[in-house]
Amino acid sequence: MLDKNKVYELEIIDLGHSGEGIGKVNGFTVFVEGGIPGDLLKVKTNIVKKSYAVGVLLEIITPSPHRIQPICGISHRCGGCQIMHMEYQAQLDFKTVRVEETLKRIGKIDTKVLPTLGMENPYEYRNKAQFPVGLMSGKAVMGFYEKGSHTIVNTEYCHIQHPINEKIVKLIKEYIHQHKVSVYDEKTNMGLIRHIVTKVGYQTGEVMVVVVTNGKKLPHHQEMIQLLKENIEGLQSVVQNINEKNTNVIFGKETITLYGRDYIVDYIGNLKFNISAQSFFQVNPMQTKVLYEKALEYADLKGDETVFDIYCGIGTISLFLAQKAKKVYGVEVVEAAILDAKENADINGMSNTEFYVGEAEMVVPELYKKGIKADVVVVDPPRKGCEETVLDTIVSMAPDRVVYVSCNPATLARDLAYLQEKGYKAGSVQPVDMFPHTGHVECCVRLYKEER
Ligand SMILES: C[S@@+](CC[C@H](N)C(=O)[O-])C[C@H]1O[C@@H](n2cnc3c(N)ncnc32)[C@H](O)[C@@H]1O
């Protein structure tokens, strides 16, 4: 046990799930924000619990050989990037090792993990930005939340976002100041402008600006549109979303189109997608293509297969698969996403798809009961992984191949162990770096039926 508010020296040996450094003092685990493996640090404990402590970094005694000066001057304060101060190749190596160790520790899965596929340029990759708007000393500020708080770090440029955002933020600030438009204060639930959300199509260059307001009337919005139109090439859509609730949730229910369309268009590979203000679309389009191509490779389709895409979202993976399969069934719990999936299938002329809304644990067994069986199954569940009912039904369908796409190595390990017990063995495991400079890692796994 360690003492609170005491200074200790320790070496960082690992990273936690949110990218925080992990070290040991006399065998006791200490989490240190900003520490990376190989650092020798002086830290002061500010939280001490039964099984772990949290320390504040006071001094870097000896830096890790992988420590670099991050390109962003505020990355140590901003909650967006946790490991930008680590060389990119070291980030990728770390992610590979994390996946390998987690599969071994939780799932007792001893399989080869391939080196994490990274980006050639791991910056400016995000196609969507959400800037909270607030007041600081009477002036409107926009930026990102500080780590673990709701204090806004006032910034115009973010190195992992598309560069067009810097221009948009400046223009919106200009509009707010020029027309003295009020900004939202979450303590009093007063003031108008709450968030600016931007979306950019990387292939098309189309831009959407969403102004989230606490109230319907947006004064001088024509002037705001004019300012954006004159300065933002590719502007296709300006929408207002109204959220009058005292909540952390960004969007409210009502959305009004102020200029142009209510969606932008972008492509992943040769597939076209309409993206509206609230519809989910992967934020790193370059790596999404890498991930989906891997899923397609592992699905190894010949053209005569029936495929299930379970947890299909807006049907992006389904449409990738439908190009090579006889029939694809997509299952997803969010109704709006299924409406998008159907529309996306239409605009791409994919008539060999069918989408079902509902919980996978209900819908997949129902489809199976109706006699629909999969030759190949792809699952891409949320962080908590697949429900056992889903895994059991997959096993009953006895597909030749299963492809598991996962954003959480821990639940992936649990589910792979379950499937292995029932006759599906994990083959290749391919991590993909969808979110450079953060602790997150995505994986694509090929499973095959063992002959018993
Ligand atoms: C990691 S996302 C994958 C989305 C999609 N495959 C993609 O790449 O864009 C997981 C999806 O599962 C959906 N989901 C969560 N729980 C579900 C459930 N019980 N049944 C079906 N879908 C669910 C979420 O709404 C989300 O769209």
Side-chain angles (χ1 to χ4, degrees):
M1 191 77 168
L2 303 185
D3 295 324
K4 200 176 159 186
N5 292 325
K6 208 174 152 189
V7 176
Y8 295 94
E9 269 184 26
L10 83 177
E11 188 187 336
I12 298 296
I13 50 173
D14 203 353
L15 287 177
H17 293 296
S18 316
E20 67 279 27
I22 301 176
K24 300 259 183 196
V25 176
N26 302 329
F28 197 79
T29 302
V30 185
F31 293 97
V32 188
E33 188 88 61
I36 57 170
D39 278 340
L40 182 63
L41 305 177
K42 196 179 268 184
V43 302
K44 187 174 178 181
T45 48
N46 61 349
I47 297 173
V48 178
K49 300 271 186 197
K50 255 194 204 147
S51 57
Y52 71 92
V54 179
V56 176
L57 201 171
L58 297 180
E59 188 191 329
I60 300 173
I61 303 166
T62 314
S64 158
H66 304 303
R67 184 173 273 281
I68 54 163
Q69 183 64 32
I71 190 170
C72 172
I74 56 156
S75 68
H76 59 293
R77 285 177 62 205
C78 170
C81 296
Q82 300 93 34
I83 51 171
M84 201 178 236
H85 48 289
M86 193 170 176
E87 268 172 359
Y88 188 52
Q89 187 55 48
Q91 292 183 23
L92 297 175
D93 294 344
F94 164 73
K95 291 180 184 188
T96 311
V97 172
R98 152 159 320 150
V99 172
E100 207 160 62
E101 287 180 354
T102 310
L103 292 186
K104 249 185 224 147
R105 184 171 43 87
I106 298 178
K108 312 271 176 289
I109 310 275
D110 203 358
T111 189
K112 173 104 193 86
V113 174
L114 296 162
T116 302
L117 296 174
M119 300 184 75
E120 211 167 290
N121 172 23
Y123 298 100
E124 299 180 351
Y125 63 81
R126 281 188 65 102
N127 58 13
K128 176 183 162 192
Q130 298 176 158
F131 300 96
V133 185
L135 273 182
M136 208 179 277
S137 319
K139 272 198 114 186
V141 288
M142 279 170 76
F144 299 99
Y145 288 129
E146 238 176 58
K147 282 187 177 128
S149 90
H150 265 207
T151 306
I152 297 170
V153 183
N154 192 27
T155 177
E156 277 158 9
Y157 189 71
C158 166
H159 292 265
I160 61 167
Q161 304 281 357
H162 192 290
I164 195 83
N165 285 309
E166 186 184 11
K167 258 186 169 178
I168 298 173
V169 169
K170 279 192 177 140
L171 293 167
I172 297 286
K173 276 185 182 168
E174 192 181 319
Y175 152 74
I176 290 173
H177 291 146
Q178 216 171 48
H179 299 286
K180 300 195 171 37
V181 184
S182 66
V183 301
Y184 183 67
D185 179 351
E186 60 182 10
K187 286 196 195 94
T188 58
N189 201 29
M190 303 281 279
L192 188 63
I193 300 199
R194 297 176 72 126
H195 267 89
I196 299 299
V197 178
T198 60
K199 294 193 173 195
V200 187
Y202 269 71
Q203 296 295 318
T204 57
E206 294 195 0
V207 177
M208 168 185 274
V209 177
V210 187
V211 185
V212 184
T213 56
N214 173 35
K216 211 159 189 166
K217 194 169 176 314
L218 182 58
H220 301 280
H221 68 264
Q222 287 305 346
E223 284 89 334
M224 177 188 75
I225 290 166
Q226 198 52 34
L227 203 58
L228 290 169
K229 261 168 64 180
E230 279 166 12
N231 294 283
I232 303 296
E233 206 185 316
L235 187 77
Q236 288 293 343
S237 171
V238 181
V239 301
Q240 179 187 357
N241 175 272
I242 298 152
N243 185 0
E244 292 173 321
K245 288 200 177 141
N246 196 352
T247 164
N248 282 343
V249 177
I250 294 179
F251 286 116
K253 282 207 172 111
E254 194 182 349
T255 304
I256 304 165
T257 307
L258 300 177
Y259 167 74
R261 311 189 214 109
D262 62 355
Y263 64 91
I264 56 166
V265 173
D266 202 16
Y267 288 83
I268 303 176
N270 55 352
L271 293 171
K272 186 177 176 185
F273 295 95
N274 287 356
I275 306 158
S276 54
Q278 294 196 51
S279 69
F280 173 83
F281 194 66
Q282 295 278 1
V283 296
N284 183 336
M286 288 68 76
Q287 291 298 86
T288 299
K289 183 165 177 276
V290 172
L291 180 72
Y292 290 179
E293 277 171 356
K294 199 40 81 179
L296 191 59
E297 179 195 323
Y298 286 179
D300 193 18
L301 299 173
K302 308 282 185 279
D304 55 353
E305 296 94 340
T306 298
V307 184
F308 273 42
D309 177 17
I310 308 176
Y311 310 95
C312 70
I314 59 166
T316 35
I317 297 182
S318 319
L319 297 191
F320 252 69
L321 299 164
Q323 298 178 101
K324 298 262 169 82
K326 186 170 87 187
K327 179 91 189 187
V328 177
Y329 293 91
V331 179
E332 160 66 44
V333 75
V334 175
E335 194 175 356
I338 285 292
L339 293 176
D340 284 341
K342 287 180 178 166
E343 190 179 323
N344 289 329
D346 272 354
I347 59 179
N348 288 288
M350 301 278 184
S351 53
N352 58 341
T353 52
E354 255 178 59
F355 292 98
Y356 290 88
V357 66
E359 289 175 330
E361 50 276 29
M362 305 297 287
V363 177
V364 177
E366 274 163 24
L367 291 174
Y368 178 54
K369 256 191 230 149
K370 279 189 197 154
I372 305 171
K373 272 181 68 182
D375 302 305
V376 177
V377 172
V378 177
V379 293
D380 183 8
R383 289 190 67 75
K384 66 177 181 168
C386 297
E387 295 287 330
E388 275 186 15
T389 337
V390 173
L391 298 177
D392 287 338
T393 314
I394 293 173
V395 172
S396 307
M397 285 184 185
D400 284 336
R401 301 176 287 289
V402 177
V403 180
Y404 197 130
V405 180
S406 160
C407 56
N408 183 352
T411 53
L412 172 68
R414 181 200 66 200
D415 291 351
L416 291 186
Y418 191 85
L419 286 169
Q420 184 154 298
E421 216 168 82
K422 312 239 162 177
Y424 282 87
K425 201 166 161 39
S428 322
V429 178
Q430 178 63 73
V432 178
D433 193 22
M434 295 285 275
F435 310 102
H437 313 296
T438 76
H440 296 286
V441 59
E442 196 90 8
C443 284
C444 187
V445 183
R446 183 207 311 253
L447 290 111
Y448 57 91
K449 200 158 60 178
E450 276 184 300
E451 297 307 329
R452 294 194 159 188

